[in-house]
Amino acid sequence: MLVYAVVSITLALVFYTIGVWSERIQGQLKKWHLVIFWLGLIFDTIGTLLMDKLASNGFQLNFHGVTGLLAILLMVFHAVWATIVVVRDNKEARADFHKLSIIVWIIWLIPYVSGAALGMAR
């Protein structure tokens, strides 16, 4: 199960990174970015649930737990808001959306890195 969890979390990193940075480089939020953001969220959720099953204590109110929960909540908000922006087809919002994306991506990296560090420490 650990292998599946690690692969899922890593796929989340790949999808989310591609989505965020391609949106930034292209200068506009596009429909295909939505697919990538949602895939990143799905794989992050799967990986997190698998990791939770592996953890003997479940969710813990510590740095990794709090930042991980914050990251998933932000990813949900980000994907939903991106969907709303594309559906409304607001040109200005689509052009500026990358600012939110990069902030959410950076915050998401915190529990990813801390989880990897904790995993390697064991």
Side-chain angles (χ1 to χ4, degrees):
M1 192 177 332
L2 178 61
V3 171
Y4 295 119
V6 170
V7 168
S8 293
I9 295 287
T10 303
L11 284 172
L13 173 67
V14 169
F15 282 119
Y16 218 58
T17 301
I18 289 170
V20 167
W21 288 103
S22 63
E23 176 207 349
R24 170 70 173 100
I25 291 166
Q26 293 176 359
Q28 180 174 315
L29 177 63
K30 298 180 180 179
K31 290 179 183 177
W32 76 270
H33 294 125
L34 296 179
V35 174
I36 300 298
F37 293 152
W38 283 103
L39 284 171
L41 175 61
I42 289 165
F43 279 107
D44 190 51
T45 303
I46 291 168
T48 300
L49 291 173
L50 290 172
M51 290 290 188
D52 187 59
K53 286 186 178 223
L54 289 169
S56 57
N57 299 344
F59 177 78
Q60 294 183 1
L61 194 59
N62 58 24
F63 179 79
H64 179 70
V66 171
T67 58
L69 178 60
L70 175 64
I72 286 182
L73 293 174
L74 282 172
M75 286 177 79
V76 169
F77 171 77
H78 180 251
V80 169
W81 187 246
T83 303
I84 291 168
V85 167
V86 168
V87 168
R88 289 184 180 167
D89 197 25
N90 181 321
K91 303 293 185 211
E92 185 177 323
R94 287 177 85 157
D96 289 338
F97 196 80
H98 69 273
K99 295 172 186 173
L100 173 64
S101 296
I102 291 171
I103 292 168
V104 172
W105 180 77
I106 289 169
I107 293 169
W108 184 85
L109 283 176
I110 295 168
Y112 180 86
V113 171
S114 71
L118 288 170
M120 287 187 284
R122 290 185 181 164

